[in-house]
Amino acid sequence: MAALRAALGALLAAARVRSPPLGQRPPRAPCSASAAARGAAMEPAPRWLAGLRFDNRALRALPVETPPPGPEGAPSAPRPVPGACFSRVRPAPLRQPRLVALSEPALALLGLGAPPADAAAREAREAEVALFFSGNALLPGAEPAAHCYCGHQFGQFAGQLGDGAAMYLGEVCTAAGERWELQLKGAGPTPFSRQADGRKVLRSSIREFLCSEAMFHLGIPTTRAGACVTSQSTVVRDVFYDGNPKYEKCTVVLRIASTFLRFGSFEIFKSADEHTGREGPSVGRNDIRVQMLDYVIGTFYPEIQAAHADNSVQRNAAFFREVTRRTARMVAEWQCVGFCHGVLNTDNMSIVGLTIDYGPFGFLDRYDPDHVCNASDNAGRYAYSKQPEVCKWNLQKLVEALEPELPRELGEAILAEEFDAEFRRHYLQKMRRKLGLVRAELEDDGVLVAKLLETMHLTGADFTNTFHLLSSFPVGPEPQGMPEFLDALTAQCASLEELKLAFRPQMDPRQLSMMLMLAQSNPQLFALIGTRANVTKELERVEQQSRLEQLSSAELLSRNRSHWANWLQEYRARLEKDREGAGDSDTWQAERLRVMRANNPKYVLRNYIAQNAIEAAENGDFSEVRRVLKLLEAPYHREGEAAEVLEAEGAGGAHGGGRSYSSKPPLWAAELCVT
């Protein structure tokens, strides 16, 4: 440990010497394979991370605010930032940074090599990660900055938001000619922190780190997470806003993406909103909007730039069309794995179609189309089934933000033409693969999928496990094992105990009675203190709870078997039609299994799995985070899994009791609250 501390001290000293002063640009590295090779040749034995080559194009292409003069080392004061897309900042140091986990596949994007076999070398590398990706030191070429953006939050324009807890470090160019933006989330205050401290804590950072990587390995477009670093520095957080604050450890996540620009990046030009009266900090600066469009399209959509170099309106229309399609495909992918974003504001929508900003999120356990994963979303605006509709609404706000460079009528016509059609096409294509329909595409396939989801809803079936189980559905002229398959399928349905917990009333009966009386006697006052939708939902809970009290476990099981038997009969008939188009039955069956296993994950980051990892980490044990990460890197594996994956599956965590992470969640998982 003494040697490790000495190495860490040497790295810190070297980094401090080489870090440029705030507002001063370091030398720029060209983004090309030959440039990276020349750089490597000039430094025959660079430190691991110091070999990264930065070329910070965004800060050259877009206006950057240099902060007003202040005391050296003082944090950025919250303020409006007009006329700029970025503001220069500096990370705030943490006490005793310590690596929680790193993602080798994500760091490989940057051209960083595989982990060394030697334990001492691995330890030195982890110390380097903890130093630079905590924000305690800057890599040569890094230029920390915070991005200015606005956003519609829960349907209302909120004005200036910006990177209140995230910092752009710069863009790394790899030997392969790729360009990746690095960002630290939780590195301290920025001009956009408002009254906050710019910090993130261990629990939220672990969730973001794990989910970013989980989504990538599920095949869903996403930002990545390269490392998670915690510390002995603390901040006070009131987790559930219930007046019980506690000290939590400051933690930083290294995020990686082609860009973190978002729909809200274009809303900084918005004039005063008719509902809230708020406006963007750069209202009237169409010159910057043009700059941003030139940068975004030229950098991230070069084929569109090349095709429409002489006509900016056609170019901008083609750009918006592609953003619409990417967004539609992204949300279709979410729906097909049961992922709920939780905070689908316009400032959390990527301009290149990535899943971005993992705050309150969740994967469905019991299938419920009205599931809300964010306990702060009282009206259910971002419920699972509403995600496609909300993404389309957010695209409408992007249309408005691009005017006049994209005429609104043209943008709205593109949105109407593209979004729903692209979503339905991609969703149904993915669902066919999940059901093993590999040969024929029939018009009624959408009806079959809808009936499946209805059956899952009626029976409270586990979303992930039900789809995974369908790959073992017995097919053929005389299928064997149908009773056993039905047993396995109904075991994935909600028990009577689970349903009673799920439909437990949320209001005191006297409160509900008062609300109903108020709705009748004073509708105006009722509208101020509660929504009709909430009261209706509460009445449904009361009615459902009453029905459940009259139901026995045996009756529930019988009812569930009947529901599934009816749907499976239709599914079997559809599979037979699919097999008819195949020349060889065995070949068709092998292809069906291969496709289903590649599209129905065995593992997703359920809330209780994340919670097990968080509780262990809060007690100083990071091994569960690392085991879960390994598990999520192979979500579709079924046979021949690596030994470490099997180890992770059986870990179970503090509450798991050895429960496999591919089994149905424990009852306590339903009680978890994410805000």
Side-chain angles (χ1 to χ4, degrees):
M1 287 304 293
L4 179 59
R5 282 195 294 270
L8 188 59
L11 282 169
L12 181 57
R16 282 174 176 156
V17 169
R18 299 182 67 176
S19 297
L22 189 63
Q24 179 180 319
R25 292 181 185 273
R28 299 177 193 134
C31 189
S32 67
S34 58
R38 285 197 304 273
M42 290 189 305
E43 286 191 43
R47 294 189 307 275
W48 187 51
L49 295 178
L52 296 175
R53 298 297 169 202
F54 283 86
D55 177 43
N56 306 326
R57 181 184 292 174
L59 300 189
R60 298 199 304 276
L62 299 172
V64 182
E65 181 217 50
T66 298
E72 180 66 27
S76 301
R79 62 185 181 277
V81 179
C85 297
F86 289 92
S87 179
R88 296 190 183 279
V89 294
R90 184 178 291 281
L94 292 171
R95 287 191 294 111
Q96 299 176 40
R98 180 185 175 194
L99 180 69
V100 176
L102 56 79
S103 167
E104 298 289 353
L107 293 177
L109 294 173
L110 309 179
L112 296 170
D118 178 68
R122 284 200 308 273
E123 204 170 85
R125 191 175 75 155
E126 290 194 1
E128 195 172 340
V129 169
L131 172 66
F132 288 108
F133 295 150
S134 64
N136 277 25
L138 290 179
L139 288 164
E143 294 183 81
H147 176 45
C148 181
Y149 53 81
C150 292
H152 282 78
Q153 298 190 314
F154 292 91
Q156 300 295 318
F157 186 64
Q160 177 178 292
L161 298 169
D163 284 336
M167 293 182 189
Y168 164 104
L169 283 184
E171 299 156 54
V172 167
C173 293
T174 69
E178 295 178 325
R179 176 184 295 272
W180 296 100
E181 180 181 326
L182 303 189
Q183 195 182 78
L184 296 183
K185 186 167 183 178
T190 76
F192 311 108
S193 298
R194 291 170 283 178
Q195 303 308 309
D197 51 33
R199 291 300 190 189
K200 293 298 176 181
V201 296
L202 189 59
R203 57 187 162 80
S204 60
S205 299
I206 286 174
R207 284 173 57 84
E208 169 138 9
F209 173 76
L210 289 176
C211 200
S212 300
E213 292 306 282
M215 292 288 274
F216 170 77
H217 292 287
L218 286 168
I220 298 171
T222 180
T223 59
R224 304 292 300 277
C228 180
V229 178
T230 193
S231 70
Q232 291 302 311
S233 298
T234 58
V235 286
V236 176
R237 292 289 186 266
D238 188 348
V239 182
F240 299 114
Y241 311 106
D242 59 0
N244 294 299
K246 66 173 185 175
Y247 285 97
E248 298 192 62
K249 291 182 177 179
C250 296
T251 307
V252 177
V253 174
L254 170 71
R255 305 202 298 182
I256 304 169
S258 56
T259 181
F260 286 89
L261 295 182
R262 50 201 75 204
F263 291 9
S265 303
F266 286 94
E267 292 189 294
I268 63 173
F269 316 107
K270 181 174 169 54
S271 56
D273 184 76
E274 60 178 326
H275 301 295
T276 65
R278 300 186 183 102
E279 64 182 24
S282 295
V283 61
R285 293 297 304 273
N286 196 53
D287 57 321
I288 302 177
R289 177 165 30 215
V290 171
Q291 263 184 280
M292 197 182 300
L293 276 166
D294 289 345
Y295 168 70
V296 168
I297 299 172
T299 304
F300 307 110
Y301 298 90
E303 66 290 347
I304 291 175
Q305 178 66 42
H308 303 285
D310 299 328
N311 190 316
S312 64
V313 172
Q314 287 185 7
R315 181 199 69 167
N316 297 341
F319 157 68
F320 180 69
R321 188 181 301 274
E322 181 59 22
V323 173
T324 297
R325 288 173 174 169
R326 290 190 189 189
T327 303
R329 292 194 294 268
M330 175 188 71
V331 70
E333 291 281 349
W334 293 354
Q335 301 304 102
C336 288
V337 295
F339 174 76
C340 306
H341 187 286
V343 200
L344 270 180
N345 302 325
T346 57
D347 53 293
N348 291 336
M349 299 288 296
S350 163
I351 205 67
V352 291
L354 303 175
T355 312
I356 190 172
D357 284 352
Y358 294 94
F361 67 81
F363 285 85
L364 292 176
D365 293 329
R366 175 180 61 86
Y367 177 70
D368 175 8
D370 297 324
H371 175 70
V372 177
C373 67
N374 178 1
S376 307
D377 184 6
N378 298 318
R381 176 180 175 84
Y382 300 141
Y384 165 76
S385 61
K386 293 180 181 177
Q387 292 186 132
E389 170 192 333
V390 168
C391 286
K392 187 177 180 181
W393 190 91
N394 288 340
L395 282 161
Q396 171 64 36
K397 295 303 162 188
L398 179 59
V399 168
E400 295 167 16
L402 294 177
E403 197 175 26
E405 295 308 304
L406 176 66
R408 186 181 298 197
E409 301 78 18
L410 178 55
E412 289 175 345
I414 291 169
L415 182 57
E417 177 187 345
E418 294 287 353
F419 185 85
D420 292 339
E422 186 72 5
F423 173 81
R424 283 194 299 266
R425 185 196 65 78
H426 195 83
Y427 177 80
L428 192 52
Q429 183 185 67
K430 181 79 173 181
M431 279 296 184
R432 284 191 181 107
R433 292 198 292 265
K434 289 174 76 70
L435 293 178
L437 306 177
V438 295
R439 295 296 174 129
E441 294 185 1
L442 303 182
E443 287 186 13
D444 289 344
D445 288 346
V447 176
L448 181 70
V449 171
K451 287 183 177 179
L452 167 61
L453 296 178
E454 182 184 2
T455 304
M456 291 173 69
H457 191 205
L458 286 169
T459 62
D462 184 89
F463 185 89
T464 300
N465 290 356
T466 298
F467 275 108
H468 190 266
L469 191 59
L470 285 176
S471 62
S472 59
F473 176 58
V475 295
E478 297 180 8
Q480 303 294 313
M482 189 61 189
E484 291 80 5
F485 179 78
L486 261 177
D487 288 343
L489 199 53
T490 52
Q492 294 304 324
C493 298
S495 67
L496 199 56
E497 191 178 13
E498 289 174 77
L499 291 174
K500 286 179 179 178
L501 184 61
F503 291 101
R504 181 178 53 193
Q506 305 296 304
M507 292 183 189
D508 184 279
R510 291 168 297 180
Q511 180 188 3
L512 179 59
S513 177
M514 262 178 46
M515 295 287 276
L516 292 171
M517 289 172 57
L518 191 60
Q520 293 293 321
S521 62
N522 194 335
Q524 291 82 10
L525 180 58
F526 173 72
L528 291 174
I529 63 172
T531 67
R532 191 171 298 276
N534 285 348
V535 172
T536 301
K537 188 169 285 189
E538 186 65 14
L539 288 172
E540 289 171 357
R541 284 196 195 98
V542 171
E543 186 180 344
Q544 181 74 356
Q545 191 75 228
S546 177
R547 286 198 296 265
L548 290 171
E549 292 297 337
Q550 310 302 316
L551 191 67
S552 70
S553 296
E555 289 169 330
L556 177 64
L557 178 61
S558 174
R559 189 179 71 179
N560 288 346
R561 287 181 73 91
S562 176
H563 285 311
W564 278 111
N566 290 339
W567 183 81
L568 288 172
Q569 190 173 0
E570 293 189 40
Y571 182 45
R572 181 185 301 283
R574 177 62 183 88
L575 286 173
E576 288 301 320
K577 288 181 182 178
D578 201 66
R579 182 161 55 176
E580 287 170 7
D584 178 70
S585 182
D586 290 342
T587 302
W588 170 82
Q589 171 69 345
E591 185 182 2
R592 182 181 78 89
L593 290 177
R594 180 188 63 78
V595 168
M596 292 185 78
R597 289 174 181 175
N599 287 277
N600 292 310
K602 188 175 181 180
Y603 308 105
V604 294
L605 183 61
R606 301 177 189 262
N607 277 337
Y608 89 95
I609 298 176
Q611 187 62 27
N612 278 339
I614 289 164
E615 289 184 11
E618 287 179 334
N619 289 319
D621 177 9
F622 303 147
S623 62
E624 188 69 6
V625 176
R626 299 177 186 191
R627 277 196 294 265
V628 170
L629 178 64
K630 268 296 181 201
L631 191 74
L632 298 172
E633 287 175 357
Y636 296 105
H637 281 195
R638 182 180 177 89
E639 300 170 312
E641 292 172 322
E644 63 268 22
V645 170
L646 292 174
E647 275 180 34
E649 180 186 351
H655 296 296
R659 174 188 294 269
S660 163
Y661 279 159
S662 64
S663 62
K664 198 173 156 197
L667 193 60
W668 63 264
E671 301 274 29
L672 287 172
C673 178
V674 182
T675 61

